[in-house]
Amino acid sequence: MGDFEKELRSSRLRLREEVDTEKFIENLENRIIQKNNRQRSFIATSILVLFFGLISIPNLNKEDDLDVFYTEEEGNYFDVNFWTIQNDSMVMDSSYFEEVAYFLVEEGNIWETIDFFNKISLEKEES
Amino acid sequence: MEDDHELIKRFQDGDNQAFNELVRRHLSNTIGFFFNITSSKMDAEDLAQDVFLKLNKYLKKFKFDSKFSTYLYRVNTNTANTWFKRNKWKNLLHLDQTDERGERDNTLEKSWTRKELWNAISKLPKKQREVVLLRIGEELPYKNISRITGISIGTAKVNFHYALKKLKKELNSG
């Protein structure tokens, strides 16, 4: 054995303190229980994930049979040219004018009725 | 008194007290093994806990083709290797604050400290480190080292020779 090897061996540390064996075993037993519990919960979780995974496999290729809540008529929306639109969205037809005229007459506003008709005729001329 | 193999058989049959008896029997040696490396009683106890926790799992499949002490040394050296790896980072980050408690076997004048020695040992290749751990730390004969590490006696001797050469160079240069 060389001197250097002797030197190395001489640097060896020896534990002189007493080790509390029973406390060590108690701690060890606790760690074993914790480890087993962790292992059990991991297995249970894995089984659950596997179970739900398996029961969801048949649904993967199934077509959606959801109710359709949208209109399939697209023409009206795409045909409107919003840049050249002249009127408000409210369509004013003849029945509307008649109803307004009757209302004004019933209310006794003769001049306003005349004024209303003048406006209509003016609008017609402009368009 | 039952031998280790009988205790392991009982443990394999579900008797946990047999395992505790095994722990009682080998605890001080195991803690001593790690105390020599870590210089800290607390670290040594933690590592010993890791060892016996592993044994609690692996002994259920123990095949009785070797002595339990050989098997235990194998687990100890593997655990020490993991500790060395972990400690490399600790040393790099200067987190290692272990002091130099404990007593030396004799008081030879040395130009290096224990910390420097174990830093140098941690830098050795795995096989060389294992041989040094068992030869210097445990003073085991090459025959036993060969059994524990799974290499031939000749290879163990060569590994030890190269390890000493490297350690000498490392310690004398520092």
Side-chain angles (χ1 to χ4, degrees), chain A residues 23-38, chain B residues 49 53:
Chain A
K23 198 181 167 196
F24 182 90
I25 290 173
E26 197 186 312
N27 290 341
L28 184 66
E29 280 175 338
N30 287 337
R31 276 186 74 179
I32 291 167
I33 291 167
Q34 278 175 3
K35 196 184 157 203
N36 289 342
N37 287 345
R38 268 202 306 270
Chain B
Q49 285 259 340
L53 201 65

Side-chain angles (χ1 to χ4, degrees), chain A residues 2-65:
Chain A
D3 288 343
F4 184 63
E5 193 179 336
K6 271 185 201 163
E7 254 184 86
L8 292 181
R9 284 194 179 182
S10 72
S11 70
R12 190 182 170 200
L13 275 185
R14 288 190 196 280
L15 185 64
R16 300 291 157 100
E17 291 172 60
E18 276 291 308
V19 178
D20 189 344
T21 313
E22 294 313 310
K23 198 181 167 196
F24 182 90
I25 290 173
E26 197 186 312
N27 290 341
L28 184 66
E29 280 175 338
N30 287 337
R31 276 186 74 179
I32 291 167
I33 291 167
Q34 278 175 3
K35 196 184 157 203
N36 289 342
N37 287 345
R38 268 202 306 270
Q39 215 166 14
R40 253 181 244 132
S41 58
F42 174 75
I43 291 168
T45 313
S46 306
I47 289 170
L48 271 177
V49 169
L50 198 72
F51 174 73
F52 284 113
L54 284 174
I55 60 165
S56 62
I57 283 175
N59 291 327
L60 289 176
N61 294 326
K62 210 174 169 185
E63 278 182 29
D64 286 342
D65 51 355

Side-chain angles (χ1 to χ4, degrees), chain A residues 5 9, chain B residues 67 70 73 130-131 133-149 151-154 156-157 160:
Chain A
E5 193 179 336
R9 284 194 179 182
Chain B
K67 272 184 174 181
T70 307
Y73 270 127
E130 283 177 4
V131 176
L133 275 179
L134 298 168
R135 185 84 184 146
I136 301 291
E138 296 300 300
E139 298 181 358
L140 292 180
Y142 284 115
K143 197 177 153 193
N144 292 9
I145 294 173
S146 150
R147 254 189 242 135
I148 293 162
T149 54
I151 56 177
S152 68
I153 294 175
K157 281 180 181 172
F160 187 64

Side-chain angles (χ1 to χ4, degrees), chain B residues 5 23 41 46 66 84 114-115 121 126 143 169:
Chain B
H5 281 191
V23 175
K41 192 189 167 198
D46 284 346
S66 63
F84 277 122
R114 270 186 55 78
K115 198 177 170 183
I121 290 175
K126 193 181 158 199
K143 197 177 153 193
K169 198 178 164 191

Side-chain angles (χ1 to χ4, degrees), chain B residues 65-111:
Chain B
D65 50 7
S66 63
K67 272 184 174 181
F68 173 69
S69 56
T70 307
Y71 190 72
L72 180 60
Y73 270 127
R74 211 175 292 159
V75 180
N76 282 354
T77 45
N78 286 341
T79 310
N81 276 329
T82 313
W83 184 84
F84 277 122
K85 254 189 235 167
R86 214 169 52 204
N87 226 37
K88 232 182 220 175
W89 290 105
K90 234 177 162 184
N91 285 341
L92 276 175
L93 298 168
H94 303 286
L95 296 172
D96 187 20
Q97 292 177 347
T98 52
D99 53 12
E100 301 233 345
R101 280 177 299 179
E103 293 170 53
R104 293 179 184 199
D105 283 351
N106 62 38
T107 50
L108 278 175
E109 281 293 317
K110 297 183 196 76
S111 55

Side-chain angles (χ1 to χ4, degrees), chain A residues 102-111 113:
Chain A
Y102 279 129
F103 172 76
L104 291 170
V105 170
E106 275 173 18
E107 290 291 310
N109 297 323
I110 302 297
W111 290 112
T113 313

